[in-house]
Amino acid sequence: MSVVVITGATAGVGKATALRFAAAGYDVGLIARDNHSLEATRAEVANYGVNCHAVSVDVVDAEALSQAARTLVDRLGAIDVWINNAMCTTLAPFYSMTDDEFRRVTEVTYLGCVNGTRAAMEHMIPRDSGVIIQVGSALAYRSIPLQSAYCGAKAAIRGFTDALRTELMHERSGVHLAMVQMPGLNTPQFDWARNKFAYSMRPVAPVFQPEVAAEAIYGVAQKPVRELWVGRSTIGAIVGQFLFPGFLDRMMVKKAWEGQMEEALNPPDRRDNLTNPVGGEHRVHGHFTPEAKSRAAAITSGVPGKALLGTAALAGLLLIGKCLTRRK
């Protein structure tokens, strides 16, 4: 029986991915902070007839995460796939973020990925086998306003992953390292991300269901690639950043600030998960289901030629511009 371990496993992409691997017969290790949500997710995964074990840990704590990996190996067996998915963000202009807020986003989203990779390699390197998947974002290449810490962290993950991949290649390691760059997703992220605006926030359109991300991650686990870009908007944003970054800067100025805001105000009792988990059972989906797409195009970063990349970039940019315009 194969074993997968997922960080940030109790909501959104993490939970959808846990259920996808369980449906394929994997034993599943869950890592997150909230015990109640871990138990609820563990019960859902166990419904597929697979073994599942959950460990409550903050990915910022490198030693605790390494211990969690050892516990999961003891309970489930050797880890075949490790997925670094844990993240948090603060929705605000940089100048209104505190040092602690910026640091926390960086520590969870970036260093949590580094810590998870180290914990996975501790078990995979001696076996010379395994797949580590970093859940990335189009924002790893094309930053947007109001999410400077998160964009910086995702870009840092890409830099770290590229460096480590070359080290593994140099050693002729059997451990594969991949990154999956995602589009905007219909997860609960925007319900409990720290938001310093009076208005509710939303992902940059177009929006896709978390199951799209889960299917992409599962596919990479079966056939590892260097990078997978999911969604035409992701493809367009990444390639467009290489071809005409200045144009994208201007588009973000005109469209992406208001394009991340909804008309509704935040509820007065709103809580965020920046420093502490939001208690209770977490959900796979956010509240953007009516507009969320259930299918997405995807390409690997090394396949298309320049002509195809240019076409994809233009199509993606037109799509992003159209969707952002609708939000105004």
Side-chain angles (χ1 to χ4, degrees):
M1 185 73 71
S2 297
V3 175
V4 62
V5 173
I6 306 165
T7 69
T10 58
V13 171
K15 188 170 185 176
T17 302
L19 297 173
R20 176 63 182 90
F21 275 84
Y26 278 71
D27 289 338
V28 181
L30 307 171
I31 294 175
R33 291 179 296 170
D34 182 61
N35 283 307
H36 182 276
S37 299
L38 278 167
E39 177 54 31
T41 303
R42 189 205 62 76
E44 289 187 52
V45 169
N47 285 335
Y48 287 90
V50 300
N51 296 317
C52 182
H53 189 69
V55 181
S56 176
V57 65
D58 190 330
V59 296
V60 170
D61 189 334
E63 178 52 38
L65 192 55
S66 291
Q67 181 56 53
R70 292 189 284 270
T71 299
L72 291 170
V73 169
D74 290 342
R75 295 296 296 267
L76 300 174
I79 300 169
D80 299 288
V81 183
W82 181 289
I83 300 165
N84 287 309
N85 171 70
M87 55 75 64
C88 66
T89 189
T90 295
L91 305 165
F94 170 71
Y95 58 77
S96 68
M97 293 176 63
T98 67
D99 178 66
D100 287 342
E101 289 169 337
F102 200 99
R103 181 183 296 109
R104 177 64 180 171
V105 173
T106 303
E107 288 178 342
V108 173
T109 308
Y110 171 50
L111 292 182
C113 176
V114 173
N115 295 339
T117 301
R118 181 180 290 108
M121 290 179 63
E122 180 182 338
H123 300 277
M124 292 180 177
I125 292 295
R127 295 172 52 226
D128 197 33
S129 177
V131 181
I132 301 171
I133 300 174
Q134 325 288 34
V135 177
S137 168
L139 305 186
Y141 287 88
R142 175 61 253 178
S143 295
I144 60 175
L146 309 183
Q147 295 201 56
S148 57
Y150 181 76
C151 292
K154 287 298 185 182
I157 292 171
R158 181 168 60 87
F160 160 71
T161 300
D162 287 351
L164 178 56
R165 184 186 297 108
T166 60
E167 293 174 10
L168 293 172
M169 292 169 65
H170 180 270
E171 298 300 319
R172 294 180 170 83
S173 174
V175 177
H176 295 276
L177 190 60
M179 194 166 184
V180 183
Q181 311 296 11
M182 300 295 184
L185 296 165
N186 176 35
T187 72
Q189 170 187 345
F190 289 86
D191 292 334
W192 55 54
R194 179 158 296 183
N195 181 356
K196 301 195 124 180
F197 290 96
Y199 292 93
S200 297
M201 302 288 282
R202 55 162 290 124
V204 173
V207 180
F208 296 84
Q209 294 288 28
E211 288 82 1
V212 171
E215 192 64 39
I217 293 166
Y218 178 78
V220 170
Q222 307 314 302
K223 187 177 180 180
V225 295
R226 184 182 185 277
E227 274 195 24
L228 186 69
W229 302 345
V230 181
R232 285 188 298 164
S233 55
T234 297
I235 298 166
I238 292 174
V239 180
Q241 180 64 14
F242 289 120
L243 297 179
F244 23 79
F247 172 76
L248 280 178
D249 287 344
R250 293 188 291 275
M251 178 184 284
M252 295 302 106
V253 169
K254 292 180 179 179
K255 307 290 187 181
W257 189 297
E258 291 80 3
Q260 293 182 78
M261 292 187 187
E262 298 191 284
E263 295 180 359
L265 294 173
N266 288 316
D269 59 347
R270 186 182 189 276
R271 295 181 297 158
D272 67 65
N273 69 345
L274 187 64
T275 56
N276 296 297
V278 177
E281 184 178 351
H282 287 21
R283 308 183 310 279
V284 170
H285 300 101
H287 61 273
F288 307 102
T289 296
E291 67 178 278
K293 303 176 185 297
S294 59
R295 299 183 65 182
I299 62 172
T300 60
S301 59
V303 171
K306 291 182 179 179
L308 179 56
L309 284 175
T311 302
L314 181 59
L317 290 172
L318 290 173
L319 180 62
I320 293 170
K322 182 178 180 181
C323 291
L324 288 175
T325 301
R326 287 176 181 169
R327 296 302 309 164
K328 292 191 72 175

